[in-house]
Amino acid sequence: MSDSVANNTVVDYTPFGKLPDHLLVEIFVRVPISEWAQISCVKRQWANVFRGECLWQAALTRTYPCAHQTKRWPGPIPRGMSRRRYAALYVSKRIFALDGEMDEIVGHAYLFLKEQLEFSDMPPTSSILHGTIIDQFIACGKSRDIANELASQIWLAALDNLEDNEHTFLILKRLALEGDVFLPYPYTKSIKVQWKVFEKLFTDFRDCFSHVDYYDVLGCAKNKFQPIPSAWMGY
């Protein structure tokens, strides 16, 4: 690609540089999604195309043709614009391998939880986050059992896909040290979710502990689980 700079303006003389946005959209949606991030960095016009609604509407229609038939749903987690809907459907297929009308809602719930855990300096307590997800599924007509199972799957997937950094360690430590709050079924988190929090702390983040923090979290683990794995022992 050849660019020339004159009067502080970058002029693209290649055939691609002359294409209008609507044709670029038709080309980009046919490129594998794994290359989209790199393509969007090539030039400002292309970055603007990826920030616009038109590309994501086209991608949604092409990749998930039944998505336009989905009606808006009640509940606390909003559907959002086309880019958000595309991301929700993408993760529901890749992470949960679900197929059916609940795909998009599961994807939105996953994105909601992961963003609260990853990007919020002070996310709500786990009981509030869990309750929000449960309420979303119940509002969509799912039974309490199904709502609880889906919420547990979302928690486990979100915890597995958090970045390995100091922020994640602090969030996991906070989740581990949260006091037990009695909540009626299905608002109680499953034992699998609670176990996953401690497992990640004592395996992926063991080196992040101070002496005091380690024994505080270990004490909480002993109160919740008996017996605890020997791999969790030994600071």
Side-chain angles (χ1 to χ4, degrees):
M1 178 175 296
S2 62
D3 291 340
S4 64
V5 179
N7 298 323
N8 296 323
T9 302
V10 178
V11 181
D12 189 349
Y13 293 108
T14 65
F16 260 116
K18 301 176 182 179
L19 291 177
D21 287 356
H22 72 276
L23 290 182
L24 289 174
V25 166
E26 292 301 319
I27 294 170
F28 293 158
V29 296
R30 289 166 170 79
V31 176
I33 189 174
S34 58
E35 300 179 22
W36 287 5
Q38 185 176 358
I39 292 173
S40 67
C41 295
V42 171
K43 55 187 298 184
R44 183 177 299 176
Q45 180 194 9
W46 294 11
N48 289 335
V49 169
F50 276 92
R51 281 194 289 266
E53 180 72 4
C54 290
L55 180 137
W56 295 101
Q57 286 179 347
L60 199 61
T61 300
R62 178 176 174 82
T63 310
Y64 307 106
C66 295
H68 70 279
Q69 300 174 5
T70 303
K71 299 178 181 179
R72 292 191 176 275
W73 53 76
I77 301 177
R79 183 169 73 167
M81 302 296 284
S82 296
R83 181 170 186 166
R84 183 72 171 190
R85 295 188 63 201
Y86 188 94
L89 285 162
Y90 182 85
V91 299
S92 70
K93 299 292 185 183
R94 299 307 188 278
I95 296 178
F96 298 98
L98 297 174
D99 195 15
E101 63 176 351
M102 290 296 291
D103 281 4
E104 189 174 341
I105 303 173
V106 170
H108 280 289
Y110 170 83
L111 293 175
F112 160 77
L113 178 60
K114 192 165 185 289
E115 288 171 353
Q116 289 292 321
L117 296 176
E118 255 186 350
F119 302 118
S120 176
D121 292 333
M122 187 61 66
T125 62
S126 62
S127 59
I128 292 177
L129 294 174
H130 187 69
T132 301
I133 296 171
I134 292 292
D135 285 342
Q136 180 63 71
F137 291 127
I138 291 178
C140 292
K142 294 302 171 183
S143 69
R144 296 192 306 166
D145 289 346
I146 292 177
N148 187 266
E149 177 58 29
L150 287 171
S152 295
Q153 291 182 38
I154 289 166
W155 267 101
L156 293 173
L159 292 170
D160 274 335
N161 287 283
L162 292 175
E163 295 287 338
D164 289 341
N165 54 34
E166 183 181 3
H167 178 76
T168 296
F169 168 68
L170 294 175
I171 292 297
L172 291 174
K173 187 176 72 171
R174 179 184 163 188
L175 294 175
L177 294 174
E178 279 183 353
D180 289 328
V181 178
F182 175 76
L183 293 171
Y185 183 82
Y187 292 96
T188 50
K189 294 191 302 298
S190 75
I191 196 71
K192 291 181 180 179
V193 173
Q194 297 179 54
W195 183 277
K196 175 65 71 174
V197 170
F198 287 93
E199 183 179 53
K200 287 186 70 67
L201 280 170
F202 289 126
T203 54
D204 299 347
F205 295 95
R206 176 181 288 273
D207 294 340
C208 297
F209 279 110
S210 68
H211 189 272
V212 173
D213 284 343
Y214 171 77
Y215 284 104
D216 283 346
V217 174
L218 183 64
C220 288
K222 288 181 176 179
N223 287 333
K224 290 177 181 290
F225 314 111
Q226 288 295 335
I228 62 173
S230 58
W232 295 4
M233 304 290 290
Y235 174 67

